[in-house]
Amino acid sequence: MASHRKSRPTGTRVAGMRTPALATAALTSVALLSQTANAAPSDDRPTLEEVEKKVDDLYRQAGSATERYNAAKERTTKQRKKVDTLLDDVARRTQDLNDAREELGSFASAQYRTGAAVPETATLLLADSPQDYFDQNQLMNRLTGRQKSAVDDYVTQQSETMKKRREATESLETLTESQDDLKTAKSTVQKKLATARELLSELTAEEKARLAAIEKKKQQEAARKAAELAKRQAAQEAERKRRAEAAQQEGDGGSGSSGTSGGTGSTGSSTPDTSNGTRAEKAIAFARAQIGKPYVWGATGPGSYDCSGLTQAAWKAAGVSLPRVTYDQVDAGTTVPVSQAQPGDLVFFYDDISHVGLYVGDGMMIHAPKPGAYVREESIFYDGESSIYSVVRPA
């Protein structure tokens, strides 16, 4: 703007030429602008590690929302059954109320026909004979007793019917709230998954290859930890057997057959319950047969599963009923240390208990991991040792 206020210097000037200071300033400005334009996209673009963490977080949040969806769906189903039962009860009571009302109407008609509403003196005077009056009066006394009972019954039924109608109304309101929770949870899952897919779709081929390499490295580390756990468990089992055999031999040498019985009892006390072991084998066999089926949030089989849907179905195949969601499954048994996990145990993950797998031994589990994945067997350390929340042995 200053150039407009100053007069041009006098003298000759070669066309197209500028003073050195102005030329230098112009070139510097162009260079800075060029650098800024080139740097802006890269500065705003997240690193591959940030993308990986964001996607993992989104999948975990989607898993947590899925369990909330499952819980809301279960509440909705139960509430709908309750509402249907209440509505049927209200309909039955309403019919009974109508029947009672008709009975009261018949009593009113009888009073009118017999002149019960006429004063007793007039009824006596109008009667054909005093005996007719007394016969009619005795009949009306009996009729009045029946009428009183009918009125009392009607009032009771009316009160109970109104109460049931209020219960049905409240249950319908609760059902509406459960349905709203269901819609909210479903929307949350869909948004989380859509964001995760969008982030992954923006990766270049090279970034996807690097991400796969990072995932492979994590799997190798998880497999190493699983092998370590398997080794420790094998050592513990060998020590348990050694002690059991020593106790049995000591019993055999000290008291003959009775000692053998004592040794066997000692062995049995330190081994897993046989019936529970058989059920665990059935649960594992079922879960293994589902390997390769897709993860679908909210699914309970038979064509697809989410994590808690799979564990519930596996133990159901073994004759054991588990709750639907992880938050409830975690309380459906006895908590044991990871080092003492046995085949059939449930392994829960994350502080919000949003994931679960079925332990199969040697540090491995079968689980339905996440959307886009399939039921598979892998290390319980697949997301790091710190992600394990607890291990539970179903009752």
Side-chain angles (χ1 to χ4, degrees):
M1 298 296 294
S3 60
H4 296 285
R5 295 194 297 268
K6 295 181 178 180
S7 59
R8 293 179 179 274
T10 57
T12 59
R13 177 178 180 273
V14 179
M17 294 295 292
R18 300 171 181 262
T19 64
L22 290 175
T24 302
L27 291 173
T28 302
S29 299
V30 171
L32 288 173
L33 288 173
S34 177
Q35 290 175 5
T36 303
N38 293 332
S42 60
D43 289 343
D44 293 339
R45 185 179 178 83
T47 65
L48 186 60
E49 289 73 15
E50 290 173 338
V51 171
E52 182 194 25
K53 185 179 184 305
K54 182 65 175 177
V55 169
D56 287 345
D57 288 344
L58 285 168
Y59 277 135
R60 279 197 291 272
Q61 291 167 14
S64 182
T66 296
E67 292 305 307
R68 291 197 297 273
Y69 169 86
N70 292 337
K73 186 177 181 180
E74 189 174 40
R75 285 197 307 271
T76 299
T77 301
K78 290 180 179 179
Q79 199 64 33
R80 183 176 287 113
K81 290 180 180 178
K82 182 179 179 181
V83 167
D84 290 343
T85 300
L86 283 171
L87 290 176
D88 289 342
D89 190 27
V90 167
R92 180 183 60 78
R93 289 178 181 277
T94 301
Q95 183 59 49
D96 292 343
L97 196 62
N98 291 335
D99 294 342
R101 186 181 291 110
E102 290 180 4
E103 185 177 6
L104 289 179
S106 67
F107 282 134
S109 299
Q111 283 184 331
Y112 177 78
R113 288 194 304 270
T114 58
V118 181
E120 290 186 0
T121 303
T123 305
L124 175 61
L125 292 174
L126 293 173
D128 293 337
S129 67
Q131 186 61 46
D132 289 342
Y133 166 75
F134 290 115
D135 290 343
Q136 180 180 341
N137 194 48
Q138 185 178 10
L139 174 63
M140 287 307 300
N141 285 338
R142 292 198 301 269
L143 190 63
T144 301
R146 289 177 55 197
Q147 181 180 5
K148 184 178 184 303
S149 176
V151 169
D152 291 343
D153 184 55
Y154 176 82
V155 171
T156 300
Q157 290 190 43
Q158 186 180 43
S159 175
E160 292 178 350
T161 301
M162 292 300 295
K163 180 180 178 182
K164 289 297 181 181
R165 282 176 178 169
R166 286 194 297 270
E167 287 183 20
T169 301
E170 292 172 357
S171 294
L172 282 170
E173 292 174 354
T174 303
L175 176 59
T176 301
E177 291 175 1
S178 297
Q179 290 173 330
D180 290 341
D181 291 342
L182 190 64
K183 292 178 181 178
T184 300
K186 182 177 182 179
S187 176
T188 300
V189 172
Q190 291 173 333
K191 287 178 180 177
K192 298 293 183 184
L193 296 181
T195 304
R197 285 192 292 266
E198 182 179 358
L199 283 172
L200 291 174
S201 67
E202 293 174 351
L203 295 178
T204 64
E206 180 184 357
E207 288 173 330
K208 289 179 180 178
R210 286 173 54 201
L211 192 61
I214 293 173
E215 182 64 25
K216 184 177 180 180
K217 186 176 181 180
K218 288 173 60 177
Q219 291 176 352
Q220 290 172 343
E221 177 62 17
R224 184 186 67 78
K225 285 185 172 292
E228 288 180 355
L229 176 60
K231 186 176 180 180
R232 289 198 303 271
Q233 289 180 330
Q236 291 171 358
E237 178 65 12
E239 178 63 16
R240 182 194 64 78
K241 288 183 177 180
R242 186 192 67 77
R243 291 182 178 182
E245 290 174 357
Q248 184 174 5
Q249 289 175 0
E250 183 179 351
D252 289 344
S255 57
S257 59
S258 61
T260 302
S261 175
T264 303
S266 174
T267 303
S269 65
S270 60
T271 56
D273 179 68
T274 304
S275 60
N276 188 66
T278 302
R279 290 195 296 267
E281 289 174 0
K282 291 181 179 178
I284 292 172
F286 178 91
R288 202 174 293 282
Q290 312 313 308
I291 290 178
K293 293 184 178 180
Y295 174 104
V296 174
W297 61 273
T300 56
S304 57
Y305 296 89
D306 63 16
C307 64
S308 56
L310 176 63
T311 51
Q312 183 189 46
W315 271 102
K316 182 179 180 180
V320 176
S321 179
L322 289 181
R324 172 64 182 93
V325 297
T326 54
Y327 317 130
D328 295 327
Q329 287 184 8
V330 75
D331 296 322
T334 304
T335 301
V336 298
V338 175
S339 61
Q340 296 179 20
Q342 295 178 0
D345 289 351
L346 303 175
V347 186
F348 295 91
F349 297 86
Y350 313 119
D351 291 339
D352 60 356
I353 320 174
S354 57
H355 189 62
V356 63
L358 185 71
Y359 191 69
V360 297
D362 295 334
M364 304 294 286
M365 67 177 177
I366 295 174
H367 69 147
K370 60 185 178 181
Y374 298 84
V375 175
R376 66 193 183 206
E377 180 177 345
E378 68 178 330
S379 168
I380 64 173
F381 303 103
Y382 80 108
D383 201 19
E385 188 171 359
S386 61
S387 66
I388 298 176
Y389 179 83
S390 68
V391 177
V392 172
R393 189 159 300 147

